[in-house]
């Protein structure tokens, strides 16, 4: 976002973003959902209160994933309308959600 659409490095960033999203992030999300649902089923945790909180955070994380995928397309088309500060904050959102998810799984508060 700081480099701008016409910067020489912008084309390199677009390729890197696309490869990261399609090659690592998307397969990881799919595997996480598949194995996570399998563990829920095998562990018979459907009635656990902590799991409902975890699933809410996972759904929010999946929504952020979709938002970032759409943003990736906007960046590729040079249509970014967000500030660099917005992207710095969005960069931390998945990490914060993951911390919440891990705490719910380890502590199982309810």
């Amino acid at each position: 976002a700081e480099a701008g659409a016409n910067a020489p490095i912008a084309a390199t960033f677009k390729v890197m973003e696309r490869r990261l999203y399609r090659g690592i992030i998307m397969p990881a999300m799919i595997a996480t959902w598949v194995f996570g649902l399998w563990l829920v089923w095998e562990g018979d945790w459907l009635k656990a209160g902590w799991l409902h909180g975890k699933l809410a955070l996972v759904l929010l994380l999946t929504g952020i994933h979709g938002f970032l995928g759409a943003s990736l397309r906007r960046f590729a088309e040079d249509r970014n309308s967000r500030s660099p500060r917005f992207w710095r904050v969005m960069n931390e959102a998945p990490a914060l959600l993951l911390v919440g998810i891990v705490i719910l799984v380890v502590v199982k508060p309810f």
Side-chain angles (χ1 to χ4, degrees):
E2 284 184 33
N6 298 325
I9 194 74
T12 303
F13 284 149
K14 290 175 188 176
V15 171
M16 291 169 53
E17 290 167 352
R18 187 183 75 247
R19 287 181 181 169
L20 177 66
Y21 188 80
R22 291 185 183 164
I24 297 173
I25 297 173
M26 184 63 82
M29 183 197 67
I30 293 168
T32 300
W33 268 105
V34 168
F35 291 120
L37 291 173
W38 177 65
L39 284 171
V40 167
W41 182 259
E42 287 294 316
D44 195 30
W45 291 330
L46 291 173
K47 296 179 183 173
W50 64 269
L51 181 66
H52 297 168
K54 177 192 171 196
L55 285 175
L57 293 178
V58 169
L59 286 172
L60 186 57
L61 188 60
T62 302
I64 290 174
H65 174 82
F67 170 75
L68 293 175
S71 298
L72 177 70
R73 286 186 288 282
R74 284 192 295 273
F75 267 105
E77 298 167 353
D78 296 327
R79 294 186 305 117
N80 175 41
S81 61
R82 309 276 186 176
S83 71
R85 182 176 181 187
F86 173 82
W87 293 115
R88 282 190 208 99
V89 171
M90 281 304 296
N91 186 52
E92 303 306 323
L96 293 174
L97 288 170
L98 287 173
V99 167
I101 289 167
V102 170
I103 288 172
L104 285 171
V105 170
V106 172
V107 177
K108 293 180 179 68
F110 42 87

